[in-house]
PDB file of all heavy atoms in Angstrom:
ATOM      1  N   THR A  76      46.842-122.422 -89.986  1.00 89.00           N
ATOM      2  CA  THR A  76      46.792-123.652 -90.796  1.00 89.00           C
ATOM      3  C   THR A  76      48.212-123.968 -91.400  1.00 89.00           C
ATOM      4  O   THR A  76      48.378-124.972 -91.986  1.00 89.00           O
ATOM      5  CB  THR A  76      45.781-123.599 -91.909  1.00 89.00           C
ATOM      6  OG1 THR A  76      45.994-122.444 -92.527  1.00 89.00           O
ATOM      7  CG2 THR A  76      44.426-123.640 -91.365  1.00 89.00           C
ATOM      8  N   ARG A  77      49.123-122.958 -91.161  1.00 86.00           N
ATOM      9  CA  ARG A  77      50.372-123.062 -91.921  1.00 86.00           C
ATOM     10  C   ARG A  77      51.163-124.406 -91.491  1.00 86.00           C
ATOM     11  O   ARG A  77      52.075-124.910 -92.320  1.00 86.00           O
ATOM     12  CB  ARG A  77      51.242-121.854 -91.776  1.00 86.00           C
ATOM     13  CG  ARG A  77      51.743-121.541 -90.340  1.00 86.00           C
ATOM     14  CD  ARG A  77      52.484-120.336 -90.265  1.00 86.00           C
ATOM     15  NE  ARG A  77      53.154-119.937 -91.540  1.00 86.00           N
ATOM     16  CZ  ARG A  77      53.512-118.727 -91.863  1.00 86.00           C
ATOM     17  NH1 ARG A  77      53.258-117.694 -90.993  1.00 86.00           N
ATOM     18  NH2 ARG A  77      54.097-118.534 -92.933  1.00 86.00           N
ATOM     19  N   HIS A  78      51.003-124.927 -90.303  1.00 86.00           N
ATOM     20  CA  HIS A  78      51.764-126.067 -89.889  1.00 86.00           C
ATOM     21  C   HIS A  78      51.315-127.327 -90.458  1.00 86.00           C
ATOM     22  O   HIS A  78      51.889-128.430 -90.305  1.00 86.00           O
ATOM     23  CB  HIS A  78      51.633-126.138 -88.341  1.00 86.00           C
ATOM     24  CG  HIS A  78      50.235-126.377 -87.838  1.00 86.00           C
ATOM     25  ND1 HIS A  78      49.316-125.449 -87.848  1.00 86.00           N
ATOM     26  CD2 HIS A  78      49.597-127.503 -87.623  1.00 86.00           C
ATOM     27  CE1 HIS A  78      48.141-126.099 -87.431  1.00 86.00           C
ATOM     28  NE2 HIS A  78      48.316-127.347 -87.241  1.00 86.00           N
ATOM     29  N   ILE A  79      50.066-127.344 -91.007  1.00 91.00           N
ATOM     30  CA  ILE A  79      49.412-128.635 -91.596  1.00 91.00           C
ATOM     31  C   ILE A  79      50.354-129.030 -92.824  1.00 91.00           C
ATOM     32  O   ILE A  79      50.386-128.379 -93.762  1.00 91.00           O
ATOM     33  CB  ILE A  79      48.000-128.342 -91.961  1.00 91.00           C
ATOM     34  CG1 ILE A  79      47.170-127.968 -90.871  1.00 91.00           C
ATOM     35  CG2 ILE A  79      47.452-129.630 -92.589  1.00 91.00           C
ATOM     36  CD1 ILE A  79      45.770-127.472 -91.123  1.00 91.00           C
ATOM     37  N   PRO A  80      50.762-130.224 -92.791  1.00 91.00           N
ATOM     38  CA  PRO A  80      51.596-130.867 -93.900  1.00 91.00           C
ATOM     39  C   PRO A  80      50.641-130.982 -95.107  1.00 91.00           C
ATOM     40  O   PRO A  80      49.502-131.395 -94.938  1.00 91.00           O
ATOM     41  CB  PRO A  80      52.053-132.253 -93.495  1.00 91.00           C
ATOM     42  CG  PRO A  80      51.914-132.272 -91.986  1.00 91.00           C
ATOM     43  CD  PRO A  80      50.849-131.357 -91.650  1.00 91.00           C
ATOM     44  N   ILE A  81      51.177-130.598 -96.267  1.00 93.00           N
ATOM     45  CA  ILE A  81      50.299-130.681 -97.523  1.00 93.00           C
ATOM     46  C   ILE A  81      51.003-131.790 -98.466  1.00 93.00           C
ATOM     47  O   ILE A  81      52.340-131.490 -98.767  1.00 93.00           O
ATOM     48  CB  ILE A  81      50.147-129.542 -98.119  1.00 93.00           C
ATOM     49  CG1 ILE A  81      49.302-128.453 -97.278  1.00 93.00           C
ATOM     50  CG2 ILE A  81      49.454-129.600 -99.577  1.00 93.00           C
ATOM     51  CD1 ILE A  81      49.135-127.140 -97.841  1.00 93.00           C
ATOM     52  N   ILE A  82      50.484-132.726 -98.952  1.00 93.00           N
ATOM     53  CA  ILE A  82      50.998-133.549-100.076  1.00 93.00           C
ATOM     54  C   ILE A  82      50.231-133.280-101.295  1.00 93.00           C
ATOM     55  O   ILE A  82      49.042-133.458-101.288  1.00 93.00           O
ATOM     56  CB  ILE A  82      51.026-135.113 -99.605  1.00 93.00           C
ATOM     57  CG1 ILE A  82      51.915-135.308 -98.381  1.00 93.00           C
ATOM     58  CG2 ILE A  82      51.560-135.860-100.844  1.00 93.00           C
ATOM     59  CD1 ILE A  82      51.969-136.734 -98.016  1.00 93.00           C
ATOM     60  N   MET A  83      50.803-132.832-102.323  1.00 92.00           N
ATOM     61  CA  MET A  83      50.035-132.542-103.581  1.00 92.00           C
ATOM     62  C   MET A  83      50.028-133.687-104.434  1.00 92.00           C
ATOM     63  O   MET A  83      50.951-134.414-104.616  1.00 92.00           O
ATOM     64  CB  MET A  83      50.675-131.285-104.268  1.00 92.00           C
ATOM     65  CG  MET A  83      51.654-130.423-103.743  1.00 92.00           C
ATOM     66  SD  MET A  83      52.124-129.340-104.987  1.00 92.00           S
ATOM     67  CE  MET A  83      53.861-129.749-105.143  1.00 92.00           C
ATOM     68  N   LEU A  84      48.972-133.705-105.296  1.00 94.00           N
ATOM     69  CA  LEU A  84      48.871-134.680-106.227  1.00 94.00           C
ATOM     70  C   LEU A  84      48.935-133.912-107.593  1.00 94.00           C
ATOM     71  O   LEU A  84      48.105-132.934-107.794  1.00 94.00           O
ATOM     72  CB  LEU A  84      47.529-135.484-106.191  1.00 94.00           C
ATOM     73  CG  LEU A  84      47.170-136.104-104.830  1.00 94.00           C
ATOM     74  CD1 LEU A  84      45.841-136.691-104.861  1.00 94.00           C
ATOM     75  CD2 LEU A  84      48.296-137.134-104.471  1.00 94.00           C
ATOM     76  N   THR A  85      49.729-134.373-108.485  1.00 90.00           N
ATOM     77  CA  THR A  85      49.973-133.722-109.871  1.00 90.00           C
ATOM     78  C   THR A  85      49.799-134.740-110.926  1.00 90.00           C
ATOM     79  O   THR A  85      50.062-135.891-110.733  1.00 90.00           O
ATOM     80  CB  THR A  85      51.123-132.888-110.006  1.00 90.00           C
ATOM     81  OG1 THR A  85      52.257-133.781-110.100  1.00 90.00           O
ATOM     82  CG2 THR A  85      51.347-132.002-108.843  1.00 90.00           C
ATOM     83  N   ALA A  86      49.452-134.348-112.077  1.00 86.00           N
ATOM     84  CA  ALA A  86      49.366-135.116-113.230  1.00 86.00           C
ATOM     85  C   ALA A  86      50.837-135.258-113.770  1.00 86.00           C
ATOM     86  O   ALA A  86      51.671-134.346-113.588  1.00 86.00           O
ATOM     87  CB  ALA A  86      48.478-134.704-114.253  1.00 86.00           C
ATOM     88  N   LYS A  87      51.173-136.333-114.540  1.00 76.00           N
ATOM     89  CA  LYS A  87      52.513-136.459-115.122  1.00 76.00           C
ATOM     90  C   LYS A  87      52.751-135.332-116.082  1.00 76.00           C
ATOM     91  O   LYS A  87      51.878-134.652-116.697  1.00 76.00           O
ATOM     92  CB  LYS A  87      52.427-137.697-115.874  1.00 76.00           C
ATOM     93  CG  LYS A  87      53.788-138.295-115.895  1.00 76.00           C
ATOM     94  CD  LYS A  87      53.771-139.663-116.554  1.00 76.00           C
ATOM     95  CE  LYS A  87      55.179-140.197-116.768  1.00 76.00           C
ATOM     96  NZ  LYS A  87      55.249-141.460-117.521  1.00 76.00           N
ATOM     97  N   GLY A  88      54.007-134.834-116.082  1.00 72.00           N
ATOM     98  CA  GLY A  88      54.458-133.762-116.944  1.00 72.00           C
ATOM     99  C   GLY A  88      54.110-132.448-116.499  1.00 72.00           C
ATOM    100  O   GLY A  88      54.195-131.410-117.276  1.00 72.00           O
ATOM    101  N   GLU A  89      53.721-132.274-115.268  1.00 77.00           N
ATOM    102  CA  GLU A  89      53.442-130.930-114.730  1.00 77.00           C
ATOM    103  C   GLU A  89      54.409-130.496-113.762  1.00 77.00           C
ATOM    104  O   GLU A  89      54.182-130.073-112.667  1.00 77.00           O
ATOM    105  CB  GLU A  89      51.935-130.908-114.061  1.00 77.00           C
ATOM    106  CG  GLU A  89      50.864-131.044-115.062  1.00 77.00           C
ATOM    107  CD  GLU A  89      49.471-131.128-114.413  1.00 77.00           C
ATOM    108  OE1 GLU A  89      49.462-131.447-113.222  1.00 77.00           O
ATOM    109  OE2 GLU A  89      48.526-131.118-115.164  1.00 77.00           O
ATOM    110  N   GLU A  90      55.656-130.509-114.277  1.00 79.00           N
ATOM    111  CA  GLU A  90      56.819-130.176-113.292  1.00 79.00           C
ATOM    112  C   GLU A  90      56.737-128.744-112.914  1.00 79.00           C
ATOM    113  O   GLU A  90      57.084-128.505-111.753  1.00 79.00           O
ATOM    114  CB  GLU A  90      58.259-130.423-114.091  1.00 79.00           C
ATOM    115  CG  GLU A  90      58.510-131.879-113.933  1.00 79.00           C
ATOM    116  CD  GLU A  90      59.718-132.332-114.763  1.00 79.00           C
ATOM    117  OE1 GLU A  90      60.199-131.456-115.617  1.00 79.00           O
ATOM    118  OE2 GLU A  90      60.270-133.346-114.676  1.00 79.00           O
ATOM    119  N   SER A  91      56.323-127.867-113.751  1.00 82.00           N
ATOM    120  CA  SER A  91      56.227-126.411-113.261  1.00 82.00           C
ATOM    121  C   SER A  91      55.270-126.308-112.248  1.00 82.00           C
ATOM    122  O   SER A  91      55.407-125.506-111.354  1.00 82.00           O
ATOM    123  CB  SER A  91      55.963-125.605-114.531  1.00 82.00           C
ATOM    124  OG  SER A  91      54.584-125.840-115.010  1.00 82.00           O
TER     125      SER A  91
END
Side-chain angles (χ1 to χ4, degrees):
T76 52
R77 69 185 327 160
H78 66 280
I79 301 171
I81 297 176
I82 298 183
M83 351 176 243
L84 306 178
T85 69
K87 212 175 171 188
E89 290 174 349
E90 276 170 350
S91 61

